[in-house]
Amino acid sequence: MLDCLVVGAGHCGLLCGNLLDRKELSYLIVDGGENIGDVWRHRPKSLRLFTSRQFCKLAGYSLPGDPEGYATGQEFAEHMANFAAINDLKLQLKTQIVNLTKVGDHFVAKTQTGQAIHAKTVINASGANQVSIVPPFAKNLWSEVQQIRCSDYVDDTAIAPNSNVVVCGDGATGRQIAAELSGKHNVTLACGRVRKLVPNRIGGHDIFWWLHKARVLYASSRSPIARILKRRDPIPVAYANNAALIQQGVDIKPRAVNAELNNILFSDGTVVQADVVIWCIGYKENVSWLRLPGVNSVDDLVAKKGITPEPGFFVVGRKWLSCRASELILGADRDTTRVVNFVQEYLAPAIKVTQEGYQSS
Ligand SMILES: Cc1cc2nc3c(=O)[nH]c(=O)nc-3n(C[C@H](O)[C@H](O)[C@H](O)COP(=O)(O)OP(=O)(O)OC[C@H]3O[C@@H](n4cnc5c(N)ncnc54)[C@H](O)[C@@H]3O)c2cc1C
């Protein structure tokens, strides 16, 4: 039986595996993907990370290239794969956990092939961005209207030239896609709640350099600073603000509220005919595989800095797990170190000190 099963080989899962390895705890990292970093490889080709390379270190292992520059998704995926290889992490890919239960005091994880993995503890590193959200009114659209989820958008090769494209959702991804498609297509961007758009660089530095130095990113999730950040929810895409997008020919609309035939209806009563709709209104977590009595909702996962109500079941890589940095690469070392310490403490009565060092029973 494993001391710890890590579900998910994103950067958080890899960091957990590395820390468990150093503590000489037996572990396995499983991931449903074919390759490490597939979530980054499948993001839009034009995507560049919004945090510069200096903030993409994994346990001190630097991402090659200009530290002030911004890596592609592909580059970060390679970085993760290299990190796993040099640390010889114990990994099993193409292994999706479809069912996690507790039997007595240990966990049984069932994979899509029926394999059962037994572990004393589990770290859920499956990420919060698993399923891209599509609003219920999307089903009102004619089947002729091409609908693309942001998680499936790679580039515009599948979109006929001069299409009427409605991008629903004005977060970083929606704004980047709208900017990319403008010029080649008639693009409308539907905006949701007002969010603070900030520049990527200020005074020659990455904005995250300033936020990191000022420790703002590490303020506890219940602190007054955190409350302000949660309310304003700033995103570093000021180069794709409304004025810049309008200049590129993008039509800015308020929230999309309904759909009918091939029309998208907006909250100001206007209507746009669409050939293509790209849904960029966010992601939700898939918790269908969790059959644990202590975990009833996604909120249970982020309640206590990685400790969940289910004893022995821990979480990393969630928004506001401990602070703003928790969902960023630059915050992962801090959170994974804390959570792996929780795992060790949980296992402590079962760990015997031998002459060679710690050894699990
Ligand atoms: C579009 C986008 C751009 C972003 N850009 C940046 C950026 O520039 N800088 C930054 O710091 N942060 C960025 N983030 C945030 C950051 O990437 C995420 O918070 C981060 O990916 C979380 O890492 P993770 O390791 O927790 O999860 P993920 O990277 O999502 O990895 C989770 C892994 O778990 C696997 N998995 C899921 N469920 C199961 C299961 N049941 N069984 C087995 N395996 C499973 C998945 O296959 C996946 O490989 C971005 C996020 C998005 C969505």
Side-chain angles (χ1 to χ4, degrees), residues 8 11-12 31-32 40 43 49-51 95-97 126 327 329:
H11 65 268
C12 289
D31 197 293
W40 289 96
R43 285 188 174 144
L49 272 72
F50 55 72
T51 48
T95 306
Q96 184 79 15
I97 302 301
S126 61
E327 70 155 354
I329 299 156

Side-chain angles (χ1 to χ4, degrees), residues 140-349:
N140 302 347
L141 282 167
W142 266 350
S143 56
E144 286 81 0
V145 177
Q146 190 181 351
Q147 297 190 48
I148 307 174
R149 288 170 180 258
C150 57
S151 51
D152 296 329
Y153 179 86
V154 180
D155 58 26
D156 76 336
T157 44
I159 301 176
N162 286 317
S163 292
N164 292 329
V165 182
V166 177
V167 179
C168 279
D170 66 329
T173 307
R175 284 178 180 276
Q176 278 177 30
I177 293 175
E180 184 185 334
L181 298 182
S182 64
K184 294 196 226 164
H185 305 279
N186 309 311
V187 181
T188 302
L189 178 70
C191 301
R193 73 200 157 99
V194 179
R195 291 177 74 182
K196 179 84 183 148
L197 302 183
V198 292
N200 288 70
R201 301 189 74 78
I202 295 177
H205 287 291
D206 185 340
I207 185 153
F208 287 95
W209 183 88
W210 296 101
L211 296 170
H212 167 71
K213 286 275 168 214
R215 312 294 299 162
V216 171
L217 293 172
Y218 310 105
S220 146
S221 40
R222 287 164 202 266
S223 65
I225 292 177
R227 277 202 291 277
I228 296 169
L229 283 176
K230 283 179 191 176
R231 207 169 45 240
R232 305 198 81 191
D233 205 6
I235 45 172
V237 276
Y239 67 90
N241 63 20
N242 289 3
L245 290 176
I246 288 168
Q247 216 170 25
Q248 292 175 55
V250 176
D251 187 14
I252 305 289
K253 291 282 185 191
R255 186 183 293 275
V257 289
N258 209 344
E260 217 171 62
L261 309 176
N262 61 342
N263 296 316
I264 295 285
L265 285 60
F266 300 92
S267 61
D268 61 356
T270 57
V271 173
V272 166
Q273 274 190 7
D275 303 314
V276 181
V277 180
I278 306 180
W279 301 112
C280 301
I281 59 173
Y283 297 85
K284 64 181 176 190
E285 187 159 344
N286 173 14
V287 285
S288 64
W289 56 284
L290 298 177
R291 314 273 160 78
L292 301 172
V295 179
N296 296 309
S297 74
V298 173
D299 292 342
D300 285 335
L301 297 178
V302 290
K304 282 191 169 175
K305 298 186 174 181
I307 298 177
T308 74
E310 184 65 56
F313 182 66
F314 302 91
V315 180
V316 289
R318 296 301 190 278
K319 200 168 185 178
W320 291 107
L321 190 70
S322 65
C323 59
R324 175 66 183 90
S326 291
E327 70 155 354
L328 300 172
I329 299 156
L330 65 84
D333 275 334
R334 201 169 171 265
D335 278 6
T336 52
T337 300
R338 186 184 346 90
V339 166
V340 170
N341 284 340
F342 289 153
V343 168
Q344 190 179 31
E345 281 165 28
Y346 180 86
L347 292 168

